[in-house]
Amino acid sequence: MTLYLSCAGSCHGKIVSIVILLACLVPGTCQHSSDSESEDADSLGDNHCHTSDQGCMSSRSFVRAVMRAIRVTEFGGPEVLKVQTDVPIPQPKASEVLIKVSAAGINPVDTYIRSGVYAAKPSLPYTPGMDVSGVVQEVGADVKKFQKGDRVYSMRTSTGAYAEFATVEEKYIGHLGDAITFEQGAGIGVPYYTAYRALILRGGARPGETVLVHGASGGVGSAAVQIAKSRGIRVLGTAGSAEGMEAIKKNGADVVFNHREEGYIQKIMDATGGEGPDVILEMLANINLEKDLGMIKLRGRIVNIGSRGPTEINPRATMGKECTITGVMLMISGDADWKEMHAAMESGMSQGWLRPVVGKEFPLEKAAETHELIMNTKSAQGNIVLKL
């Protein structure tokens, strides 16, 4: 095939070389249409050639080999989040799935990693993010539970979530219910699994008990409210604004409080008959842990989900109440815990109580803005999502 290029002034007599990669080697043996060309532009081209076409070959690398993704080349502030349009599409390993990403969730831990203060630092450059939702594009040879075309979500990607495609280990993937949008699906992974692990697996909350979600309007907090209510647990929730309080109440909390108001701790004690909550889920331990120790019920459990710095407490406060303080780290969960958490989320979708709250949506190009928002908002209201 010969291609002639006409230049008008800009070529300046230079020879321009163009390499055309053809998906079909024999002219006339492949079927083309405007519809199929449009479809190929958004896929890896697996269906480019008809199965009966003798002259066709796999077109994965021909139709599309690169993608848009956020890349971080140095640790620092939100400004280091840069969009690149020539990032190679990752290849799934035998135990991995390649997901065509529809939405990616933003979590506080993403900002800690980006800034370089997180204990485990990725090698540079890297693509940030953990939570994704989308459609399975390819599966590795050892993958058993998923196939191409499945709607899925994940809470731990191998190659990063802020991208058009991501590879994920099979154990970190769940089926996305038909009633859940991709934007909602991007808010299931880290928020819901962390909330479940904190409330049930680490906090041991039981039906009939009372849990205080100290910061219930954000992603993890709103998930914790729904999980608790589905299990017959009374929920007290706090937020930092009237809008946040309204969101918590709408989400199903029994009693809500503004943690910026004077005297809110006494109101919580009054709501529990002076005994305090059985379980406290704490999103900002460096600010609230001492308050939690004053509120917690005799032999109660405080579960630390988040902290942005050190704090100082009097250990004697734990002695008089025989309470426990424990932490949560989702990614060190064992296989049995992953199995239980997957089953709980599947049940939540089928029963209808799992309803991720989407606060704000942004395009990929606004990734830096999402990091500013999630760390500086005075009252979170649901999950922050990147739409791809």
Side-chain angles (χ1 to χ4, degrees):
M1 177 179 182
T2 303
L3 176 70
Y4 296 94
L5 176 67
S6 175
C7 295
S10 61
C11 295
H12 301 291
K14 296 181 180 179
I15 297 176
V16 179
S17 299
I18 295 179
V19 178
I20 299 179
L21 298 177
L22 299 177
C24 300
L25 301 181
V26 180
T29 60
C30 288
Q31 299 176 350
H32 301 280
S33 69
S34 59
D35 291 339
S36 64
E37 289 167 1
S38 174
E39 181 179 343
D40 286 340
D42 291 326
S43 69
L44 299 182
D46 295 309
N47 297 321
H48 184 82
C49 293
H50 194 277
T51 54
S52 62
D53 292 337
Q54 299 298 318
C56 289
M57 60 185 295
S58 173
S59 60
R60 185 188 198 281
S61 60
F62 296 118
V63 175
R64 189 169 185 186
V66 296
M67 64 178 180
R68 294 165 59 243
I70 295 293
R71 297 294 278 172
V72 174
T73 59
E74 61 178 327
F75 296 113
E79 68 278 0
V80 303
L81 300 171
K82 304 291 186 182
V83 177
Q84 290 188 14
T85 59
D86 59 352
V87 179
I89 293 175
Q91 296 271 0
K93 298 176 182 178
S95 59
E96 291 182 330
V97 165
L98 178 67
I99 298 174
K100 186 177 186 300
V101 179
S102 295
I106 310 298
N107 293 290
V109 69
D110 299 349
T111 72
Y112 307 150
I113 296 171
R114 181 218 69 226
S115 63
V117 301
Y118 199 65
K121 297 181 182 66
S123 299
L124 296 172
Y126 80 99
T127 294
M130 308 172 80
D131 287 339
V132 297
S133 65
V135 176
V136 173
Q137 187 70 39
E138 292 185 20
V139 296
D142 297 337
V143 173
K144 306 298 183 185
K145 298 178 181 178
F146 302 92
Q147 59 185 358
K148 181 177 178 179
D150 284 351
R151 300 175 80 249
V152 294
Y153 67 90
S154 175
M155 70 300 300
R156 186 175 186 175
T157 69
S158 302
T159 55
Y162 303 1
E164 292 181 307
F165 293 89
T167 55
V168 184
E169 286 283 339
E170 183 178 23
K171 69 182 289 185
Y172 302 123
I173 305 173
H175 285 101
L176 187 64
D178 292 337
I180 307 294
T181 67
F182 287 123
E183 290 75 24
Q184 289 177 308
I188 294 177
V190 168
Y192 277 82
Y193 283 63
T194 299
Y196 186 92
R197 184 165 177 77
L199 180 67
I200 306 302
L201 300 181
R202 301 297 291 159
R206 296 181 291 272
E209 290 191 320
T210 296
V211 59
L212 169 65
V213 183
H214 216 165
S217 61
V220 176
S222 60
V225 172
Q226 293 176 13
I227 293 169
K229 293 304 296 179
S230 75
R231 290 174 170 258
I233 299 167
R234 183 173 182 240
V235 177
L236 313 181
T238 78
S241 69
E243 294 80 7
M245 293 172 65
E246 182 61 30
I248 295 171
K249 183 171 289 188
K250 184 178 179 181
N251 196 32
D254 296 285
V255 190
V256 300
F257 308 90
N258 188 329
H259 53 230
R260 298 186 187 278
E261 289 183 355
E262 290 289 336
Y264 86 94
I265 293 177
Q266 185 57 52
K267 291 180 180 179
I268 291 174
M269 296 304 294
D270 292 343
T272 60
E275 292 186 333
D278 297 280
V279 179
I280 298 177
L281 301 188
E282 182 52 65
M283 311 297 169
L284 199 59
N286 58 302
I287 300 297
N288 297 321
L289 186 55
E290 186 176 3
K291 301 173 186 175
D292 295 337
L293 284 168
M295 288 188 287
I296 194 69
K297 188 178 181 178
L298 181 67
R299 300 185 184 88
R301 294 88 72 195
I302 300 170
V303 186
N304 176 20
I305 295 174
S307 182
R308 298 182 185 178
T311 190
E312 183 176 318
I313 63 170
N314 184 348
R316 293 187 65 86
T318 66
M319 297 165 60
K321 292 188 175 182
E322 291 190 340
C323 63
T324 61
I325 304 171
T326 188
V328 169
M329 182 66 70
L330 176 62
M331 296 309 166
I332 64 173
S333 300
D335 289 344
D337 288 350
W338 284 115
K339 183 177 181 181
E340 179 175 338
M341 290 186 288
H342 282 315
M345 301 313 134
E346 184 175 338
S347 174
M349 282 182 272
S350 64
Q351 294 177 14
W353 59 257
L354 191 154
R355 308 177 309 278
V357 178
V358 178
K360 293 188 177 181
E361 302 174 5
F362 295 84
L364 186 65
E365 290 74 17
K366 298 286 188 179
E369 189 173 333
T370 68
H371 278 216
E372 291 276 9
L373 180 61
I374 199 167
M375 295 304 292
N376 297 320
T377 184
K378 293 184 178 179
S379 183
Q381 295 182 44
N383 297 286
I384 300 172
V385 173
L386 287 174
K387 293 185 65 175
L388 288 100

